[in-house]
């Protein structure tokens, strides 16, 4: 029995196999257990003799099992360590690092310039009412921009704002002068997409209201802005224009940062880059918001951010900003 058990123990290759051998010989119904159980039928002389031998065999099998168990455990551990080994010299998986979208980058830059001049950043809703988008801004009832073909209406009274000037009204309603805010955000117009038009684009509105604000303050503020954004040699020029919500109104151009007025591809040969619309806040608009135009005055401006950023980074098609083509985005 002992020899047989020894041979089987030596053959066992795993803890499971070893356990099977243990049960076979030493378990409740094991071969040796059977021998011990059969002792009752032996004579009184045979009993101690057989008992002694059986106990010796049991001890010897137990020792062999213990030894085999330890060596199998070591082998199994080695095997496990080998199987789970890490090769620390293997190159790691490349993690793609995200970047800021050129629009976000440009927007952050614009905000920082105005924050540096003491402006506060405020936001307004993209879905707004005819009141905030047109009426309170002194827009005549028959103004062409109110037309369904220019503005996206949701109902008769609710629309997707077509400019950020809505935030002028909301700010004047909610704040008391002195007011000095900028408001960047999305705008929507029913324009056919081309290289310079997108139905969804971005504007940045600026508004200052206080006692004694003049056109000089507007010019000074815009000059500081363009010098920070395009470079210290940049000049600006005002062209008379009309907006219902400002009087007088103007469009402002900046001298081209690339060719300094000589004419190049960025400014299409003109030497100037169209910058924004602006003017002195119309007295009707101040009054609509409960601010006395006899006491207070203000200026406002609104710029198309997408086109500004296109100029600065020399992007020739606005649609590139919204297509999320990685070949384009990776350049910034
Ligand atoms: C306005 O929207 C006025 N609210 C600006 C303003 C504010 C004037 C405060 C006075 C005082 P305008 O319609 O010109 O103005 O639009 C301003 C800029 O938005 C344009 O110069 C252009 O850069 C940008 N823009 C307009 N439509 C689009 C479009 N479809 N795609 C991209 N940019 C556009």
């Amino acid at each position: 029995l002992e020899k047989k058990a020894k041979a089987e123990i030596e053959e066992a290759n795993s803890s499971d196999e070893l356990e099977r051998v243990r049960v076979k010989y030493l378990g409740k119904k094991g071969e040796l257990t059977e021998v011990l159980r059969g002792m009752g039928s032996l004579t009184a002389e045979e009993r101690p003799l057989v008992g002694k031998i059986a106990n010796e065999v049991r001890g010897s099998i137990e020792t062999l099992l213990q030894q085999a168990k330890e060596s199998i455990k070591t082998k199994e551990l080695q095997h496990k360590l080998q199987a789970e080994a890490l090769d620390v010299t293997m190159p790691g998986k490349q993690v793609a690092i995200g970047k800021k979208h050129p629009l976000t980058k440009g927007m952050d830059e614009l905000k920082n310039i105005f924050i540096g001049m003491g402006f506060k950043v405020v936001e307004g809703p993209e879905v707004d009412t005819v009141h905030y988008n047109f009426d309170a801004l002194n827009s005549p009832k028959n103004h062409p921009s109110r037309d369904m073909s220019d503005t996206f209406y949701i109902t008769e009274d609710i629309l997707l704002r077509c400019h950020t000037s809505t935030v002028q009204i909301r700010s004047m309603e909610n704040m008391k002068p002195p007011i000095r805010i900028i408001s960047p955000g999305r705008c929507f117009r029913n324009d056919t997409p081309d290289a310079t038009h997108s139905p969804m684009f971005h504007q940045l509105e600026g508004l200052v209201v206080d006692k004694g604000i003049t056109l000089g303050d507007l010019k000074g503020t815009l000059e500081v802005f363009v010098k920070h954004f395009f470079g210290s040699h940049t000049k600006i020029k005002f062209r008379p224009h009309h907006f219902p919500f400002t009087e007088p109104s103007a469009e402002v151009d900046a001298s081209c940062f690339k060719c300094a007025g000589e004419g190049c591809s960025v400014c299409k040969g003109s030497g100037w880059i169209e910058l924004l619309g602006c003017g002195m806040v119309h007295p009707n608009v101040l009054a609509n918001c409960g601010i006395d135009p006899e006491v207070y005055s203000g200026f406002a401006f609104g710029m198309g951010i997408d086109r500004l950023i296109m100029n600065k980074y020399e992007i020739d098609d606005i649609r590139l900003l919204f297509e999320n083509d990685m070949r384009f985005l990776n350049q910034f």
Side-chain angles (χ1 to χ4, degrees), residues 212-273:
I213 297 293
T214 67
L215 198 64
D217 296 313
L218 170 60
K219 281 178 118 173
T221 304
L222 295 179
E223 247 161 38
V224 172
F225 157 66
V226 292
K227 285 180 195 301
H228 272 94
F229 192 70
F230 284 124
S232 56
H233 300 299
T234 314
K235 292 193 208 95
I236 52 173
K237 79 173 176 197
F238 279 59
R239 282 181 285 110
H241 198 72
H242 171 78
F243 295 105
F245 33 91
T246 46
E247 183 58 38
S249 304
E251 277 197 326
V252 176
D253 300 334
S255 59
C256 179
F257 64 94
K258 195 166 182 211
C259 63
E262 296 291 313
C264 69
S265 59
V266 172
C267 57
K268 312 265 180 318
S270 72
W272 295 92
I273 291 170

Side-chain angles (χ1 to χ4, degrees), residues 163 165 189 191 198 201 203 205 245 277-278 301-302 304 307 318:
H163 53 181
S165 297
R189 288 186 196 179
D191 288 339
S198 165
F201 59 100
Q203 285 189 349
E205 192 80 8
F245 33 91
C278 63
F301 56 86
R307 292 197 195 155
I318 194 169

